[in-house]
Amino acid sequence: MTLEWLNNRVKALNSSFQQSAAGHQLQLTKPPGSLGQLEDIAVRLSAMQATNKPKLEQININIFAADHGVVSAGISAFPQEVTVQMVANFSAGGAAISVLANSLNADLEVVDVGTLNDPGALPGVISRRAGAGTANLFEQDAMSTEQLSCAMDAGREAVMRAYDKQADLFIGGDMGIGNTTPAAAIACALLNADPVALAGPGTGLDSAGVSHKAKVIQTALDRYQGLDKNPLETLRCLGGFEIAALVGAYISCAQQGLPALVDGYITTAAALVAVSLQPEVKHWLLFSHRSAEPGHKAMLDALEVAPLLDLGMRLGEGSGAATAVPLLRLACDLHNGMATFADAGVAEG
């Protein structure tokens, strides 16, 4: 496995602009802290972008799509064919994230990292296939070292394309029937958690289906020892191509100094791996929403982060992150546009 770039240094936040932004917030015509997380976001973006006037004009959304061999273990309410069908739907502009990207005037790119069936040439879809879906983690390692490297490289390449386009924000999304199972397995391994606590309904399993899913995850975990101390092996043995691509993307965002907005359950599992590999990556991640999947809270708590929204969403595709973009833009507008006490002639507290 190559991945020479994996240990490249993460870019440091600009502490001077962070301090300046925090001081500016104290001068705006409002009680300190009264805009809550909107203030924190503006300060963090100022430090990330090394500017007194943070902005989020150019948004880049990348959906990574792949299939999962573990679907054959009966852990999904939807058939595997849906993954490649949704890739075509993304391309045609009919998916939720397609509508949201259009509304945000964001660039939308789909990367086929390994659907079971090759969708062929489609507008807006880039082929970076690590294989025709992962192996069944219920029975064996999900992917080889070469496949892991290929998928992570695909995430890095997506970030470099966004960086070259001078993107202000990177959003990674996922598409893969069955992918809540590898996401939960990763979280269980890294957090030493019980699958019963972290396995959820995914695309719509009933209680019996969720119980079966937890048993599948436990069977996979029982084959390994010490995965909590080896995040990369955890990803290889239990993950998915799209999750690996997201890990590569988040680490690359931090290395390039590009803010990344994390979506929901699947992407947070990827963020957990990325931060486990390089703790400083966390400084470049913003968290958009709390997924309705029960295991999401455990991952957010482990990362010690608070998401912006809680709308009961569990679609994936980057949809929760896209929904949070207007809030981030408003945070920038407030920071840049409000009058100071001195400007407005208002007495300070």
Side-chain angles (χ1 to χ4, degrees), residues 155-232:
R156 180 177 185 271
E157 291 163 8
V159 169
M160 297 310 297
R161 287 192 296 271
Y163 184 79
D164 289 343
K165 293 177 184 176
Q166 298 183 316
D168 299 314
L169 183 72
F170 180 90
I171 292 175
D174 66 276
M175 180 62 226
I177 292 300
N179 64 6
T180 57
T181 295
I186 287 169
C188 287
L190 294 181
L191 304 180
N192 284 312
D194 187 340
V196 172
L198 297 194
T203 51
L205 292 174
D206 59 16
S207 59
V210 174
S211 178
H212 172 68
K213 183 192 225 177
K215 291 175 183 176
V216 167
I217 294 169
Q218 187 61 61
T219 299
L221 292 171
D222 288 343
R223 285 203 310 276
Y224 306 104
Q225 297 293 326
L227 284 184
D228 59 318
K229 300 178 179 62
N230 194 333
L232 209 55

Side-chain angles (χ1 to χ4, degrees), residues 87-288:
V87 169
N89 194 26
F90 295 142
S91 175
I97 192 59
S98 308
V99 175
L100 290 166
N102 185 60
S103 179
L104 297 171
N105 196 28
D107 284 342
L108 177 62
E109 187 177 275
V110 182
V111 182
D112 173 18
V113 205
T115 55
L116 182 62
N117 300 307
D118 190 336
L122 290 172
V125 178
I126 294 173
S127 181
R128 280 293 277 111
R129 296 172 59 80
T134 54
N136 183 357
L137 63 84
F138 181 58
E139 300 173 340
Q140 63 189 98
D141 297 351
M143 64 189 92
S144 68
T145 54
E146 292 78 11
Q147 288 175 319
L148 175 63
S149 178
C150 179
M152 293 185 73
D153 282 341
R156 180 177 185 271
E157 291 163 8
V159 169
M160 297 310 297
R161 287 192 296 271
Y163 184 79
D164 289 343
K165 293 177 184 176
Q166 298 183 316
D168 299 314
L169 183 72
F170 180 90
I171 292 175
D174 66 276
M175 180 62 226
I177 292 300
N179 64 6
T180 57
T181 295
I186 287 169
C188 287
L190 294 181
L191 304 180
N192 284 312
D194 187 340
V196 172
L198 297 194
T203 51
L205 292 174
D206 59 16
S207 59
V210 174
S211 178
H212 172 68
K213 183 192 225 177
K215 291 175 183 176
V216 167
I217 294 169
Q218 187 61 61
T219 299
L221 292 171
D222 288 343
R223 285 203 310 276
Y224 306 104
Q225 297 293 326
L227 284 184
D228 59 318
K229 300 178 179 62
N230 194 333
L232 209 55
E233 269 297 279
T234 298
L235 180 61
R236 186 185 71 80
C237 295
L238 302 174
F241 295 147
E242 81 276 42
I243 299 174
L246 286 160
V247 174
Y250 291 143
I251 293 174
S252 298
C253 279
Q255 291 171 345
Q256 299 301 319
L258 176 59
L261 183 60
V262 179
D263 184 36
Y265 191 63
I266 309 303
T267 56
T268 303
L272 185 64
V273 176
V275 172
S276 297
L277 288 168
Q278 287 214 43
E280 297 84 3
V281 169
K282 179 180 169 182
H283 300 315
W284 291 93
L285 304 180
L286 301 162
F287 289 80
S288 60

Side-chain angles (χ1 to χ4, degrees), residues 11-26 39-54 282-284 286 335:
K11 189 172 182 178
L13 298 183
N14 191 301
S15 59
S16 296
F17 281 103
Q18 185 170 16
Q19 292 171 8
S20 175
H24 180 67
Q25 282 287 332
L26 294 175
E39 297 183 20
D40 299 333
I41 290 166
V43 171
R44 287 191 63 191
L45 286 171
S46 293
M48 291 172 170
Q49 297 180 348
T51 180
N52 288 318
K53 291 189 176 294
K282 179 180 169 182
H283 300 315
W284 291 93
L286 301 162
H335 184 81

